[in-house]
Amino acid sequence: MGSMPNDEIAGLRGQVDEIDRRLVDLLNQRARISIEIGDAKRQSDPAAVEPEIFQPDREGRVLTNVQAANKGPLTDEDLRAVWAEILSSSRSLQRPLEIGYLGPPATFTEEAAKRCFGSSVTYTPCNTIADVFYETHKRALTYGVVPIENSTEGAVTHTMDMLVESELQICGEIRLPVAHFLLSNGTLDQVQEVYSHQQALAQCRRWLSAHLPSAKRIEASSTALAAQMAQEPHSAAISTLTAAKLYNLDVIAEHIEDSASNITRFLVIGLHRANRSGADRTALVFSVRDRVGALRDALTIFASSQINLTRIESRPSRRRLWDYLFFVDLEGHPEDNHVEMAIDQLEQDCPFVKVLGAWPHDSLEGPSNE
């Protein structure tokens, strides 16, 4: 096949340049409308401390419309990535956002936060999950991102406890596929100790037993801190590619997680729960009275209301010995009639009930501000 003549290439590039100019005009037109939407939000509720910038119910409709209009060759995933940054920029025009996450930088939580909120916001690492809640509650942060559950290692109990204690609401969810890398300044044969977060060590235990059976496993508060600690050639860290670049470490083994379907769920927390979208999840927690069949009776309320529970977990209440709280995720929104009625009945039968938040189940990639 012959090569394309230079003048034909130049003509095609000229078309691309013209399309780029039109795109810039359209994006700025979209940005101006987004600013007007932000002004309208403030005018509609002047008493509000701040407008609800994170509205994943609206985001879901935006992305659905974009994908419906897609005729290729770009894939829907390509367009989602482009629109994540468009939405991030639009959001920052309405109001600058500061997003807190469980730090330090280069953790999976930071990666999840950036996947959700894009690059046009400020990110602030927090030392603990409690700090994320505290700083968000006092409005030093606009939203927080915290881990809640891993598909192989289960729940993050610190987050569960803070959800009970805090007045903040869950308003979004991010599901992040987790890939673990072994980082070091030495070789695999040199490694005598492996640093990482306890969950990362657990998620790679079979690989470690097979390839580094004699290496000491040392827990760190995060995978990023582990990379910071593993600077000697005889040390290694289970961490992320971002951490490898940040701390100048080599990747000496890739994808060492024991499960190929290793996914961690993260929650977005803020002052408001998400609006009803029609395809929602609600999280709540309740306790039961100390009598035979009490838990069965509570769960029967959901079954008789045709409500599907997608998750149930128990935790000691820390109030009385052998007293437990039950955390559930369910399909539906507190504003759905059948969900509202079930919660009302639960409140009549249980000594403690608290709705922890609600969010659109299908909108996991990033928030919309429109």
Side-chain angles (χ1 to χ4, degrees):
M1 180 180 295
S3 60
M4 185 178 292
N6 289 337
D7 56 349
E8 188 171 349
I9 294 174
L12 292 173
R13 287 174 174 168
Q15 293 180 45
V16 169
D17 292 342
E18 177 57 30
I19 291 170
D20 286 344
R21 283 190 286 270
R22 286 158 51 195
L23 281 174
V24 170
D25 287 342
L26 288 171
L27 287 172
N28 279 314
Q29 181 181 341
R30 190 186 195 283
R32 285 189 288 270
I33 295 173
S34 184
I35 293 172
E36 292 180 16
I37 291 172
D39 292 340
K41 287 179 182 177
R42 284 182 282 272
Q43 292 172 12
S44 65
D45 190 2
V49 175
E50 56 188 30
E52 294 183 42
I53 301 298
F54 179 48
Q55 294 185 315
D57 53 310
R58 169 57 183 163
E59 172 210 332
R61 293 193 294 273
V62 169
L63 294 177
T64 297
N65 292 339
V66 168
Q67 291 173 187
N70 184 25
K71 294 180 171 57
L74 290 175
T75 66
D76 286 348
E77 190 63 28
D78 290 335
L79 290 177
R80 287 181 71 93
V82 171
W83 252 258
E85 290 304 322
I86 291 174
L87 294 172
S88 180
S89 176
S90 296
R91 191 185 322 113
S92 69
L93 290 171
Q94 291 190 11
R95 184 166 68 90
L97 300 187
E98 186 164 355
I99 309 302
Y101 66 91
L102 178 61
T107 59
F108 289 111
T109 312
E110 183 189 33
E111 185 177 341
K114 289 183 175 179
R115 177 179 175 180
C116 183
F117 286 96
S119 60
S120 297
V121 301
T122 299
Y123 290 97
T124 300
C126 297
N127 292 328
T128 66
I129 288 172
D131 287 342
V132 179
F133 277 83
Y134 177 72
E135 297 297 328
T136 306
H137 182 263
K138 72 175 190 178
R139 298 186 177 90
L141 301 170
T142 323
Y143 297 100
V145 177
V146 291
I148 183 62
E149 182 183 28
N150 178 264
S151 58
T152 60
E153 292 303 312
V156 180
T157 56
H158 292 310
T159 299
M160 295 170 67
D161 293 338
M162 288 305 303
L163 287 170
V164 176
E165 297 174 13
S166 174
E167 297 177 9
L168 297 176
Q169 289 276 294
I170 303 167
C171 51
E173 177 191 56
I174 310 149
R175 295 183 182 183
L176 186 71
V178 172
H180 290 302
F181 299 84
L182 191 68
L183 314 180
S184 180
N185 280 320
T187 64
L188 191 61
D189 293 338
Q190 293 177 280
V191 174
Q192 299 174 18
E193 65 246 357
V194 178
Y195 296 91
S196 199
H197 188 273
Q198 60 179 358
Q199 284 219 347
L201 290 169
Q203 291 163 22
C204 302
R205 65 167 64 92
R206 288 202 300 270
W207 190 95
L208 291 171
S209 296
H211 296 86
L212 293 170
S214 301
K216 185 178 180 181
R217 305 175 192 182
I218 304 173
E219 290 186 8
S221 60
S222 71
T223 55
L225 181 60
Q228 190 175 351
M229 297 166 67
Q231 295 299 312
E232 299 297 329
H234 57 78
S235 300
I238 299 173
S239 194
T240 65
L241 291 177
T242 303
K245 297 175 184 177
L246 185 62
Y247 297 108
N248 298 313
L249 296 172
D250 295 326
V251 178
I252 61 174
E254 300 181 355
H255 297 285
I256 66 173
E257 62 275 6
D258 295 332
S259 173
S261 57
N262 188 10
I263 296 174
T264 297
R265 290 175 60 225
F266 299 85
L267 301 177
V268 181
I269 54 172
L271 299 175
H272 313 281
R273 70 180 62 145
N275 295 324
R276 183 178 180 275
S277 73
D280 302 291
R281 287 276 170 88
T282 294
L284 58 86
V285 58
F286 64 90
S287 63
V288 296
R289 304 187 191 284
D290 186 12
R291 63 174 177 80
V292 175
L295 178 58
R296 178 205 60 199
D297 292 345
L299 296 179
T300 299
I301 293 173
F302 298 111
S304 61
S305 301
Q306 300 296 304
I307 295 173
N308 183 38
L309 301 184
T310 60
R311 173 176 174 261
I312 182 167
E313 190 102 21
S314 64
R315 280 283 292 154
S317 69
R318 303 196 296 179
R319 298 171 182 173
R320 292 199 316 269
L321 190 63
W322 311 121
D323 184 40
Y324 284 83
L325 296 175
F326 298 92
F327 294 76
V328 298
D329 289 356
L330 58 87
E331 292 182 349
H333 192 280
E335 295 176 6
D336 294 340
N337 288 335
H338 67 302
V339 175
E340 184 179 12
M341 292 175 64
I343 293 173
D344 287 345
Q345 186 175 349
L346 199 67
E347 289 175 337
Q348 295 176 26
D349 295 351
C350 297
F352 174 74
V353 179
K354 180 182 180 182
V355 176
L356 303 175
W359 65 93
H361 179 53
D362 293 334
S363 296
L364 306 174
E365 298 287 343
S368 171
N369 49 320
E370 303 171 308

